[in-house]
Amino acid sequence: MTKKPLILVTNDDGINAPGIRTLISVMNTIGDVVVVAPDSPQSGMGHAITVDATLYVNKVTFDDGPQKEYSCSGTPADCVKLANRELLTRKPDLCVSGINHGSNASINVIYSGTMSAAVEAGVEGIPAIGFSLLDYSWNANFDASKPFVKQIVLEVLKNKLPNDVVLNVNIPNLPKHKIKGVKVCRQAKGNWVETFDKRQNPMGKDYYWLSGKFVNLDGGEDTDEYALENGYISIVPVQFDLTAYQALKTLNSWNFNKTE
Amino acid sequence: MTKKPLILVTNDDGINAPGIRTLISVMNTIGDVVVVAPDSPQSGMGHAITVDATLYVNKVTFDDGPQKEYSCSGTPADCVKLANRELLTRKPDLCVSGINHGSNASINVIYSGTMSAAVEAGVEGIPAIGFSLLDYSWNANFDASKPFVKQIVLEVLKNKLPNDVVLNVNIPNLPKHKIKGVKVCRQAKGNWVETFDKRQNPMGKDYYWLSGKFVNLDGGEDTDEYALENGYISIVPVQFDLTAYQALKTLNSWNFNKTE
C-alpha cells in the first residue's frame, strides 16, 4: 500500500473510554484515523439504530493526536452509518471497534454494541474488526493488548478479509508475557443465566435489576471461550447471513401450506 | 399433546400494537397464553438488553381474552428474560414475537427487536418464531396473516424445531386470496442505503434524521426477498452461532502471531 489506509474507529463504551483511546493510539501508527463514537456508554445496545430520534454530532478533541474525532448521540451502528454517509470523504479501508471493556466472546456477540458496529461496517462492505478485553472495569489495563491489536490489524490490511465476514477479537486480561498467542476459533455455545434483583422504589412500586452469570455450555477445545481460558487471544470470524442452512431441508419437509 | 402448550407472546412495537393483539388472538386458539411485551415501541433496538437501568413490570388487561398480560419498561430481549426467570411458572413450549409492523426480511433481521426476542428465547432453549407483516403502518391489516400464523405455529409445535434455530417469518402485505403459500428460504443479501436528513434546531445546532432505502443485492430465487416479491410468505431458519465456518481455514493461514 503506497497510501496510508483510512481507518474508522468506533466503540460502545463512549468516545472518552480508555479502551477506544488505546485503539486510536495504535491505529495512529498504521493509518489516517477518523473517530466517530458515541458520546456516552451504549453497552448492551445490541444492533440498535436510531430510527425515531434525532442524531447530534460534535467535532471534538481529546488529545494532541493526528486523528479527527466526532462524538455522536447515537448507537455504535449509527456512528458507522453516519461516518460513511456524512463524515468521511471516502470509504474507509478498515473499521475497528473497541477496545471494549469486557468480553464479547461466545453468545455475548449478539448483545454487543462493539460488534454491532463491526457488523454494520461489514454489511456496507468495509473490512471490520471488533476488539474486546476481558476486564469490565473502566480502569482496565490495555497495555498488553497493543502489540496484538496492531499485528491483527496489519494482517487484515495485508490479506483482506473474506467477503461478508468480520472479526470478533477477544483478549484475556493478562500481562503480555502471559498471553500465549492468537487462536482462530468458533463461537462457544453458552448463555447467560439471569437473576433479577427485585426491589421496591420509595413509592412502594416493584422494579428489577438485571444481573446474571455467563455459562459456557461448550466442551469443545476449538472455541473462543476455551482459547481465552487457556491464555490465548481468540479470533472468531463472524457472518451476518444468519440463515441456518443445515435446517432448510428439514423445514422443507414440513406442512406449512395446509391452511383452509 | 394432551396438555395445552404454554405460549409466551412478545413484540417490539409495544403491547397495545394491533400486530401483537392479532398474534394473541390466534395463540389463544392454540394454547395457554402469557404476554410479556414492551410498554412502548422499541423498533430498531436490535438485540439490546437493559444493563444499567431499572425494569418495571405491570400486570395489565387490554381485552377480555383468557391470556395473562404484563407490560415491561424494557426491550424485547428483556421481556423474554424476565418472563422466563420471574413471571412464568414453567418453561414455555413456544415463544412467538410480533406480528411486527414492517419487514424483517433480509438484513433487517440484525436490526430487529422482534427477532431479538425470538433469538433470546432460542438461546434459552425455547422454540421461537418471529412474525412480521410488510406494512409499517400502525393500522396495518393483519386479517390475511391469521390462518398462516396458526398453521406455522401448529407445525412448529408438532415437528419441533432443530436445536439452536428460530424462525423468521415475513408475510407480504396482500389480501388472503393473493398469498400464494409459504416458502422456506435463505436470507437475501441486501443492505440499507441511508440518507441523513441534516437540519438545524431552533438553537442553530445541526442534527440528523436517519432515513434510507433497502437495496436487495441478491439475484437468487431461493431468498426471502424473492419469495415476498412473488406473493409468498417467507420462512428463514435463523441461527445465533455467528461463526463463519467457511472462513476458519483461510484465517488459520494468516500470521497473527508475529508480535515483537
Side-chain angles (χ1 to χ4, degrees), chain A residues 30 149-159:
Chain A
I30 298 175
V149 167
K150 182 164 184 174
Q151 178 61 15
I152 291 166
V153 166
L154 289 174
E155 279 297 294
V156 166
L157 287 169
K158 189 178 83 183
N159 295 303

Side-chain angles (χ1 to χ4, degrees), chain A:
Chain A
M1 214 169 291
T2 50
K3 233 173 67 178
K4 271 182 160 183
L6 177 61
I7 303 175
L8 172 64
V9 182
T10 190
N11 78 340
D12 76 339
D13 291 317
I15 196 162
N16 65 338
I20 194 172
R21 306 316 306 173
T22 303
L23 190 54
I24 294 164
S25 72
V26 177
M27 292 307 107
N28 276 332
T29 69
I30 298 175
D32 292 323
V33 174
V34 178
V35 182
V36 184
D39 56 16
S40 60
Q42 301 279 323
S43 292
M45 284 301 283
H47 205 112
I49 48 171
T50 300
V51 287
D52 56 359
T54 51
L55 288 172
Y56 284 89
V57 178
N58 285 301
K59 190 143 184 3
V60 290
T61 308
F62 279 93
D63 57 39
D64 54 4
Q67 72 280 356
K68 269 194 202 164
E69 299 201 44
Y70 302 88
S71 73
C72 170
S73 61
T75 66
D78 290 332
C79 289
V80 173
K81 285 178 185 287
L82 201 60
N84 287 328
R85 307 291 176 205
E86 291 286 324
L87 302 173
L88 296 174
T89 50
R90 66 175 180 92
K91 193 169 176 171
D93 299 294
L94 182 72
C95 172
V96 290
S97 179
I99 301 172
N100 191 59
H101 295 235
S103 173
N104 281 314
S106 184
I107 196 67
N108 295 295
V109 67
I110 71 168
Y111 306 106
S112 164
T114 303
M115 283 307 297
S116 82
V119 167
E120 185 61 44
V123 168
E124 304 193 19
I126 300 160
I129 314 171
F131 291 101
S132 306
L133 177 69
L134 272 61
D135 184 346
Y136 288 92
S137 64
W138 186 261
N139 295 313
N141 186 338
F142 292 92
D143 285 346
S145 305
K146 288 182 182 181
F148 295 100
V149 167
K150 182 164 184 174
Q151 178 61 15
I152 291 166
V153 166
L154 289 174
E155 279 297 294
V156 166
L157 287 169
K158 189 178 83 183
N159 295 303
K160 295 197 170 24
L161 283 174
N163 281 343
D164 301 330
V165 167
V166 300
L167 300 186
N168 182 15
V169 178
N170 283 273
I171 303 166
N173 188 23
L174 296 170
K176 183 165 181 247
H177 69 278
K178 291 221 171 144
I179 296 180
K180 292 187 193 147
V182 178
K183 272 201 195 298
V184 176
C185 308
R186 67 175 172 85
Q187 175 186 323
K189 184 172 162 64
N191 66 4
W192 282 82
V193 178
E194 283 84 15
T195 44
F196 284 91
D197 185 351
K198 192 174 180 176
R199 301 187 182 187
Q200 242 180 18
N201 75 9
M203 286 70 75
K205 189 162 164 44
D206 290 338
Y207 66 94
Y208 297 90
W209 287 102
L210 170 61
S211 64
K213 195 176 157 348
F214 172 75
V215 181
N216 181 5
L217 302 169
D218 200 319
E221 300 192 355
D222 55 347
T223 71
D224 50 3
E225 289 293 333
Y226 186 88
L228 291 160
E229 281 161 19
N230 288 279
Y232 289 89
I233 290 170
S234 66
I235 301 185
V236 176
V238 164
Q239 61 193 357
F240 32 88
D241 175 358
L242 307 188
T243 312
Y245 287 93
Q246 73 284 2
L248 289 174
K249 199 178 156 195
T250 302
L251 290 177
N252 266 316
S253 71
W254 294 10
N255 193 2
F256 289 123
N257 276 301
K258 198 190 69 182
T259 57
E260 302 95 46

